[in-house]
Amino acid sequence: MTRLIEITGKAVSGEWVSDDTAGNGTPILRTTNFTNEGVVDYSDVVTRDLGEKDLSEKYLRKGDIIIEKSGGSDKQPVGRVIYFEGPETTYVFNNFTGLLRVIDQQRWFPRYVFYSLYANYKRGGTKAYENRTTGLHNLQTDAYVANTIIPDADMQKQQSICTILDRVREA
């Protein structure tokens, strides 16, 4: 077993954003773009004015995992994850989410890490790291990333598991 922090490092915080009054801002993924199946819903992506910030590390890349840091409800805990497969250097993520990017993709298959986190969420693994403030549920993201463990497997096994899970998902 390996701790998530050793695989991805700390979660990168999303961007606080301003409304896009000019209509030519950056597409930004929010928790409303999360599905409960772990995929991105692109039907309601908004654009926001991010100003002149250097966003080179915050543009999403294929294989990125985005985790919900704030949201949830009494019936749906915070901590959902989605796996990004969209066009690279197009989307950014907002402040209610965090980015988990696999550091060593020769050792860890990003989709395998995603499926491990998705299964952990479905089993209620984020509940122990949840705070509630005035109806909003917040994930203690640093503690979650530091303490969550991912089952060790060689790359071939990771890819085989993902192939099976992808087929199940498609069915």
Side-chain angles (χ1 to χ4, degrees):
M1 303 293 252
T2 302
R3 293 190 185 281
L4 180 59
I5 195 154
E6 296 171 39
I7 299 169
T8 64
K10 291 179 72 171
V12 177
S13 294
E15 287 295 312
W16 288 91
V17 294
S18 303
D19 287 339
D20 179 17
T21 55
N24 57 359
T26 303
I28 191 154
L29 297 182
R30 306 169 294 160
T31 57
T32 57
N33 301 110
F34 281 49
T35 68
N36 291 336
E37 292 77 37
V39 296
V40 180
D41 175 5
Y42 293 99
S43 67
D44 187 28
V45 175
V46 298
T47 59
R48 294 290 190 248
D49 181 7
L50 299 175
E52 300 298 318
K53 297 178 184 177
D54 176 15
L55 300 172
S56 56
E57 288 303 309
K58 294 200 178 184
Y59 276 111
L60 293 170
R61 302 174 193 162
K62 286 184 183 0
D64 282 347
I65 302 161
I66 309 163
I67 188 166
E68 175 187 46
K69 295 182 352 181
S70 293
S73 67
D74 291 336
K75 294 181 181 176
Q76 177 176 293
V78 70
R80 293 179 297 162
V81 288
I82 56 173
Y83 185 78
F84 184 76
E85 297 180 278
E88 296 195 12
T89 65
T90 300
Y91 294 93
V92 176
F93 50 103
N94 78 349
N95 59 301
F96 290 112
T97 64
L99 170 65
L100 298 169
R101 183 172 286 153
V102 172
I103 298 166
D104 182 359
Q105 293 190 15
Q106 300 301 313
R107 168 66 185 97
W108 293 98
F109 191 51
R111 196 152 183 86
Y112 175 80
V113 176
F114 160 75
Y115 275 129
S116 296
L117 294 174
Y118 180 77
N120 185 53
Y121 172 79
K122 288 295 198 181
R123 285 190 308 267
T126 60
K127 285 185 179 189
Y129 299 95
E130 188 176 279
N131 286 339
R132 295 179 190 182
T133 58
T134 57
L136 190 63
H137 298 239
N138 296 305
L139 184 66
Q140 299 168 24
T141 311
D142 288 345
Y144 178 73
V145 171
N147 294 305
T148 297
I149 54 174
I150 305 297
D152 288 327
D154 64 42
M155 182 60 76
Q156 184 177 356
K157 178 138 183 145
Q158 290 178 45
Q159 291 172 334
S160 294
I161 289 169
C162 291
T163 298
I164 292 166
L165 292 173
D166 287 344
R167 287 182 186 150
V168 169
R169 178 174 279 193
E170 288 171 13

Tab-separated table of all heavy atoms in Angstrom, residues 60-100:
chain	number	residue	atom	x	y	z
A	60	LEU	N	-5.812	21.727	-17.000
A	60	LEU	CA	-5.972	20.286	-16.845
A	60	LEU	C	-5.344	19.524	-18.004
A	60	LEU	O	-5.358	19.975	-19.146
A	60	LEU	CB	-7.459	19.951	-16.731
A	60	LEU	CG	-8.106	20.491	-15.454
A	60	LEU	CD1	-9.615	20.346	-15.510
A	60	LEU	CD2	-7.538	19.798	-14.236
A	61	ARG	N	-4.788	18.362	-17.644
A	61	ARG	CA	-4.164	17.457	-18.602
A	61	ARG	C	-4.878	16.112	-18.541
A	61	ARG	O	-5.442	15.748	-17.506
A	61	ARG	CB	-2.697	17.231	-18.238
A	61	ARG	CG	-1.872	18.482	-18.165
A	61	ARG	CD	-0.480	18.170	-17.664
A	61	ARG	NE	0.220	19.389	-17.313
A	61	ARG	CZ	1.288	19.425	-16.545
A	61	ARG	NH1	1.777	18.313	-16.024
A	61	ARG	NH2	1.870	20.567	-16.273
A	62	LYS	N	-4.808	15.375	-19.625
A	62	LYS	CA	-5.397	14.033	-19.632
A	62	LYS	C	-4.800	13.220	-18.479
A	62	LYS	O	-3.593	13.234	-18.258
A	62	LYS	CB	-5.121	13.336	-20.956
A	62	LYS	CG	-5.960	13.868	-22.100
A	62	LYS	CD	-5.709	13.083	-23.363
A	62	LYS	CE	-6.386	13.491	-24.584
A	62	LYS	NZ	-7.251	14.504	-24.778
A	63	GLY	N	-5.668	12.549	-17.742
A	63	GLY	CA	-5.221	11.741	-16.617
A	63	GLY	C	-5.262	12.459	-15.280
A	63	GLY	O	-5.007	11.845	-14.250
A	64	ASP	N	-5.579	13.743	-15.284
A	64	ASP	CA	-5.703	14.464	-14.018
A	64	ASP	C	-6.944	13.991	-13.274
A	64	ASP	O	-7.952	13.620	-13.882
A	64	ASP	CB	-5.808	15.975	-14.251
A	64	ASP	CG	-4.471	16.623	-14.559
A	64	ASP	OD1	-3.424	15.970	-14.366
A	64	ASP	OD2	-4.476	17.792	-14.989
A	65	ILE	N	-6.835	14.018	-11.964
A	65	ILE	CA	-7.954	13.656	-11.096
A	65	ILE	C	-8.344	14.921	-10.345
A	65	ILE	O	-7.503	15.573	-9.734
A	65	ILE	CB	-7.545	12.545	-10.112
A	65	ILE	CG1	-7.064	11.305	-10.873
A	65	ILE	CG2	-8.700	12.220	-9.167
A	65	ILE	CD1	-6.241	10.351	-10.042
A	66	ILE	N	-9.616	15.260	-10.407
A	66	ILE	CA	-10.098	16.442	-9.706
A	66	ILE	C	-10.951	15.953	-8.544
A	66	ILE	O	-11.831	15.098	-8.716
A	66	ILE	CB	-10.917	17.353	-10.634
A	66	ILE	CG1	-10.135	17.636	-11.911
A	66	ILE	CG2	-11.261	18.665	-9.924
A	66	ILE	CD1	-10.982	18.175	-13.026
A	67	ILE	N	-10.681	16.498	-7.359
A	67	ILE	CA	-11.406	16.095	-6.164
A	67	ILE	C	-12.246	17.261	-5.652
A	67	ILE	O	-11.800	18.410	-5.670
A	67	ILE	CB	-10.439	15.553	-5.078
A	67	ILE	CG1	-11.212	14.947	-3.920
A	67	ILE	CG2	-9.457	16.634	-4.624
A	67	ILE	CD1	-10.371	14.089	-2.980
A	68	GLU	N	-13.445	16.949	-5.229
A	68	GLU	CA	-14.360	17.934	-4.657
A	68	GLU	C	-13.920	18.241	-3.221
A	68	GLU	O	-13.877	17.353	-2.385
A	68	GLU	CB	-15.770	17.337	-4.676
A	68	GLU	CG	-16.827	18.162	-4.013
A	68	GLU	CD	-18.144	17.418	-3.940
A	68	GLU	OE1	-18.135	16.226	-3.557
A	68	GLU	OE2	-19.161	18.034	-4.268
A	69	LYS	N	-13.595	19.500	-2.952
A	69	LYS	CA	-13.159	19.908	-1.614
A	69	LYS	C	-14.300	20.507	-0.800
A	69	LYS	O	-14.280	20.439	0.416
A	69	LYS	CB	-12.032	20.935	-1.707
A	69	LYS	CG	-10.772	20.389	-2.320
A	69	LYS	CD	-9.607	21.345	-2.400
A	69	LYS	CE	-9.844	22.766	-2.042
A	69	LYS	NZ	-8.670	23.631	-2.161
A	70	SER	N	-15.258	21.114	-1.469
A	70	SER	CA	-16.417	21.704	-0.790
A	70	SER	C	-17.657	21.348	-1.580
A	70	SER	O	-17.658	21.392	-2.801
A	70	SER	CB	-16.306	23.223	-0.707
A	70	SER	OG	-15.258	23.599	0.138
A	71	GLY	N	-18.711	21.014	-0.874
A	71	GLY	CA	-19.960	20.623	-1.516
A	71	GLY	C	-20.614	19.533	-0.713
A	71	GLY	O	-20.573	19.543	0.513
A	72	GLY	N	-21.147	18.570	-1.398
A	72	GLY	CA	-21.769	17.455	-0.707
A	72	GLY	C	-23.044	17.871	0.002
A	72	GLY	O	-23.496	19.005	-0.072
A	73	SER	N	-23.617	16.924	0.690
A	73	SER	CA	-24.850	17.151	1.451
A	73	SER	C	-24.939	16.032	2.482
A	73	SER	O	-24.062	15.184	2.567
A	73	SER	CB	-26.065	17.113	0.514
A	73	SER	OG	-26.244	15.808	-0.002
A	74	ASP	N	-26.020	16.034	3.238
A	74	ASP	CA	-26.195	14.970	4.219
A	74	ASP	C	-26.345	13.604	3.555
A	74	ASP	O	-26.011	12.586	4.136
A	74	ASP	CB	-27.404	15.258	5.107
A	74	ASP	CG	-27.151	16.444	6.029
A	74	ASP	OD1	-25.970	16.726	6.317
A	74	ASP	OD2	-28.123	17.085	6.457
A	75	LYS	N	-26.842	13.588	2.321
A	75	LYS	CA	-27.034	12.324	1.612
A	75	LYS	C	-25.885	12.003	0.644
A	75	LYS	O	-25.803	10.903	0.149
A	75	LYS	CB	-28.352	12.360	0.834
A	75	LYS	CG	-29.559	12.430	1.737
A	75	LYS	CD	-30.842	12.450	0.959
A	75	LYS	CE	-32.012	12.537	1.920
A	75	LYS	NZ	-33.274	12.662	1.242
A	76	GLN	N	-25.046	12.987	0.384
A	76	GLN	CA	-23.929	12.782	-0.548
A	76	GLN	C	-22.682	13.429	0.040
A	76	GLN	O	-22.546	14.647	0.010
A	76	GLN	CB	-24.262	13.419	-1.901
A	76	GLN	CG	-23.127	13.316	-2.896
A	76	GLN	CD	-23.540	13.866	-4.239
A	76	GLN	OE1	-24.394	13.295	-4.906
A	76	GLN	NE2	-22.949	14.972	-4.647
A	77	PRO	N	-21.769	12.633	0.585
A	77	PRO	CA	-20.583	13.212	1.213
A	77	PRO	C	-19.716	13.981	0.215
A	77	PRO	O	-19.765	13.733	-0.989
A	77	PRO	CB	-19.825	12.003	1.751
A	77	PRO	CG	-20.635	10.812	1.466
A	77	PRO	CD	-21.786	11.193	0.610
A	78	VAL	N	-18.942	14.898	0.727
A	78	VAL	CA	-17.972	15.613	-0.084
A	78	VAL	C	-16.815	14.664	-0.402
A	78	VAL	O	-16.598	13.686	0.309
A	78	VAL	CB	-17.480	16.880	0.668
A	78	VAL	CG1	-16.614	16.521	1.851
A	78	VAL	CG2	-16.769	17.834	-0.265
A	79	GLY	N	-16.100	14.950	-1.477
A	79	GLY	CA	-14.947	14.128	-1.815
A	79	GLY	C	-15.087	13.345	-3.108
A	79	GLY	O	-14.256	12.487	-3.408
A	80	ARG	N	-16.125	13.661	-3.895
A	80	ARG	CA	-16.255	12.982	-5.190
A	80	ARG	C	-15.012	13.268	-6.039
A	80	ARG	O	-14.371	14.296	-5.876
A	80	ARG	CB	-17.492	13.469	-5.949
A	80	ARG	CG	-18.784	13.083	-5.311
A	80	ARG	CD	-19.977	13.603	-6.089
A	80	ARG	NE	-19.963	15.059	-6.100
A	80	ARG	CZ	-20.654	15.823	-6.950
A	80	ARG	NH1	-21.402	15.254	-7.879
A	80	ARG	NH2	-20.585	17.138	-6.892
A	81	VAL	N	-14.703	12.368	-6.935
A	81	VAL	CA	-13.585	12.558	-7.855
A	81	VAL	C	-14.065	12.373	-9.288
A	81	VAL	O	-15.018	11.638	-9.546
A	81	VAL	CB	-12.418	11.579	-7.572
A	81	VAL	CG1	-11.698	11.949	-6.295
A	81	VAL	CG2	-12.878	10.134	-7.535
A	82	ILE	N	-13.406	13.087	-10.190
A	82	ILE	CA	-13.633	12.882	-11.620
A	82	ILE	C	-12.285	12.709	-12.300
A	82	ILE	O	-11.262	13.205	-11.827
A	82	ILE	CB	-14.443	14.020	-12.294
A	82	ILE	CG1	-13.782	15.382	-12.072
A	82	ILE	CG2	-15.888	14.018	-11.834
A	82	ILE	CD1	-14.437	16.518	-12.838
A	83	TYR	N	-12.312	11.986	-13.403
A	83	TYR	CA	-11.115	11.712	-14.184
A	83	TYR	C	-11.188	12.554	-15.445
A	83	TYR	O	-12.160	12.481	-16.197
A	83	TYR	CB	-11.069	10.222	-14.529
A	83	TYR	CG	-9.816	9.796	-15.230
A	83	TYR	CD1	-8.643	9.612	-14.508
A	83	TYR	CD2	-9.799	9.565	-16.588
A	83	TYR	CE1	-7.478	9.204	-15.144
A	83	TYR	CE2	-8.645	9.158	-17.233
A	83	TYR	CZ	-7.491	8.984	-16.506
A	83	TYR	OH	-6.344	8.581	-17.138
A	84	PHE	N	-10.164	13.361	-15.676
A	84	PHE	CA	-10.186	14.283	-16.811
A	84	PHE	C	-9.577	13.640	-18.044
A	84	PHE	O	-8.430	13.186	-18.021
A	84	PHE	CB	-9.432	15.572	-16.468
A	84	PHE	CG	-9.512	16.597	-17.558
A	84	PHE	CD1	-10.677	17.321	-17.749
A	84	PHE	CD2	-8.440	16.816	-18.395
A	84	PHE	CE1	-10.771	18.258	-18.770
A	84	PHE	CE2	-8.518	17.743	-19.419
A	84	PHE	CZ	-9.682	18.472	-19.606
A	85	GLU	N	-10.368	13.633	-19.130
A	85	GLU	CA	-9.907	13.103	-20.411
A	85	GLU	C	-10.136	14.103	-21.539
A	85	GLU	O	-10.014	13.751	-22.703
A	85	GLU	CB	-10.648	11.803	-20.739
A	85	GLU	CG	-10.393	10.700	-19.761
A	85	GLU	CD	-11.149	9.445	-20.115
A	85	GLU	OE1	-12.351	9.353	-19.779
A	85	GLU	OE2	-10.531	8.557	-20.725
A	86	GLY	N	-10.467	15.334	-21.181
A	86	GLY	CA	-10.780	16.345	-22.183
A	86	GLY	C	-9.540	16.923	-22.840
A	86	GLY	O	-8.421	16.465	-22.607
A	87	PRO	N	-9.749	17.953	-23.642
A	87	PRO	CA	-8.620	18.584	-24.320
A	87	PRO	C	-7.681	19.261	-23.316
A	87	PRO	O	-8.135	19.905	-22.375
A	87	PRO	CB	-9.280	19.613	-25.242
A	87	PRO	CG	-10.639	19.834	-24.677
A	87	PRO	CD	-11.028	18.581	-23.957
A	88	GLU	N	-6.402	19.082	-23.524
A	88	GLU	CA	-5.408	19.646	-22.607
A	88	GLU	C	-5.273	21.152	-22.797
A	88	GLU	O	-5.557	21.676	-23.863
A	88	GLU	CB	-4.062	18.954	-22.818
A	88	GLU	CG	-4.130	17.485	-22.467
A	88	GLU	CD	-2.772	16.838	-22.301
A	88	GLU	OE1	-1.762	17.554	-22.227
A	88	GLU	OE2	-2.739	15.604	-22.223
A	89	THR	N	-4.827	21.811	-21.754
A	89	THR	CA	-4.590	23.266	-21.687
A	89	THR	C	-5.800	24.082	-22.147
A	89	THR	O	-5.653	25.122	-22.769
A	89	THR	CB	-3.325	23.683	-22.472
A	89	THR	OG1	-3.521	23.433	-23.860
A	89	THR	CG2	-2.093	22.968	-21.961
A	90	THR	N	-6.983	23.597	-21.799
A	90	THR	CA	-8.214	24.316	-22.119
A	90	THR	C	-8.971	24.681	-20.854
A	90	THR	O	-9.421	25.816	-20.707
A	90	THR	CB	-9.119	23.454	-23.026
A	90	THR	OG1	-8.409	23.154	-24.222
A	90	THR	CG2	-10.417	24.167	-23.356
A	91	TYR	N	-9.098	23.738	-19.931
A	91	TYR	CA	-9.907	23.922	-18.727
A	91	TYR	C	-9.038	24.139	-17.494
A	91	TYR	O	-7.945	23.599	-17.382
A	91	TYR	CB	-10.773	22.683	-18.472
A	91	TYR	CG	-11.812	22.454	-19.531
A	91	TYR	CD1	-11.543	21.623	-20.614
A	91	TYR	CD2	-13.064	23.051	-19.451
A	91	TYR	CE1	-12.484	21.400	-21.594
A	91	TYR	CE2	-14.018	22.834	-20.428
A	91	TYR	CZ	-13.721	22.011	-21.494
A	91	TYR	OH	-14.658	21.795	-22.460
A	92	VAL	N	-9.590	24.915	-16.563
A	92	VAL	CA	-9.019	25.122	-15.236
A	92	VAL	C	-10.090	24.663	-14.256
A	92	VAL	O	-11.244	24.461	-14.625
A	92	VAL	CB	-8.651	26.617	-15.040
A	92	VAL	CG1	-8.139	26.912	-13.653
A	92	VAL	CG2	-7.613	27.038	-16.072
A	93	PHE	N	-9.755	24.481	-12.998
A	93	PHE	CA	-10.698	24.011	-11.982
A	93	PHE	C	-10.865	25.096	-10.925
A	93	PHE	O	-9.962	25.876	-10.675
A	93	PHE	CB	-10.208	22.691	-11.368
A	93	PHE	CG	-8.774	22.739	-10.920
A	93	PHE	CD1	-8.459	22.871	-9.579
A	93	PHE	CD2	-7.744	22.680	-11.838
A	93	PHE	CE1	-7.138	22.933	-9.170
A	93	PHE	CE2	-6.422	22.734	-11.441
A	93	PHE	CZ	-6.112	22.865	-10.100
A	94	ASN	N	-12.041	25.132	-10.295
A	94	ASN	CA	-12.317	26.234	-9.370
A	94	ASN	C	-11.895	25.935	-7.937
A	94	ASN	O	-11.388	24.862	-7.629
A	94	ASN	CB	-13.792	26.656	-9.449
A	94	ASN	CG	-14.725	25.735	-8.700
A	94	ASN	OD1	-14.354	24.652	-8.259
A	94	ASN	ND2	-15.959	26.164	-8.546
A	95	ASN	N	-12.108	26.898	-7.066
A	95	ASN	CA	-11.625	26.838	-5.685
A	95	ASN	C	-12.344	25.808	-4.824
A	95	ASN	O	-11.860	25.496	-3.739
A	95	ASN	CB	-11.723	28.218	-5.031
A	95	ASN	CG	-13.137	28.740	-5.017
A	95	ASN	OD1	-13.757	28.891	-6.059
A	95	ASN	ND2	-13.651	29.033	-3.850
A	96	PHE	N	-13.443	25.267	-5.246
A	96	PHE	CA	-14.128	24.223	-4.479
A	96	PHE	C	-13.600	22.831	-4.818
A	96	PHE	O	-14.104	21.831	-4.345
A	96	PHE	CB	-15.640	24.280	-4.708
A	96	PHE	CG	-16.287	25.486	-4.098
A	96	PHE	CD1	-16.822	26.482	-4.896
A	96	PHE	CD2	-16.349	25.631	-2.721
A	96	PHE	CE1	-17.414	27.603	-4.335
A	96	PHE	CE2	-16.936	26.745	-2.141
A	96	PHE	CZ	-17.470	27.738	-2.957
A	97	THR	N	-12.596	22.800	-5.682
A	97	THR	CA	-12.013	21.539	-6.118
A	97	THR	C	-10.491	21.586	-5.957
A	97	THR	O	-9.910	22.647	-5.755
A	97	THR	CB	-12.352	21.261	-7.604
A	97	THR	OG1	-11.757	22.270	-8.420
A	97	THR	CG2	-13.846	21.224	-7.835
A	98	GLY	N	-9.872	20.419	-6.073
A	98	GLY	CA	-8.414	20.335	-6.032
A	98	GLY	C	-7.939	19.377	-7.108
A	98	GLY	O	-8.672	18.498	-7.559
A	99	LEU	N	-6.696	19.551	-7.505
A	99	LEU	CA	-6.096	18.734	-8.552
A	99	LEU	C	-5.144	17.723	-7.945
A	99	LEU	O	-4.274	18.079	-7.147
A	99	LEU	CB	-5.332	19.629	-9.528
A	99	LEU	CG	-4.443	18.930	-10.555
A	99	LEU	CD1	-5.270	18.099	-11.529
A	99	LEU	CD2	-3.611	19.952	-11.297
A	100	LEU	N	-5.315	16.472	-8.329
A	100	LEU	CA	-4.382	15.399	-7.987
A	100	LEU	C	-3.773	14.922	-9.294
A	100	LEU	O	-4.478	14.399	-10.157
A	100	LEU	CB	-5.101	14.265	-7.267
A	100	LEU	CG	-5.753	14.642	-5.937
A	100	LEU	CD1	-6.651	13.521	-5.440
A	100	LEU	CD2	-4.697	15.002	-4.907
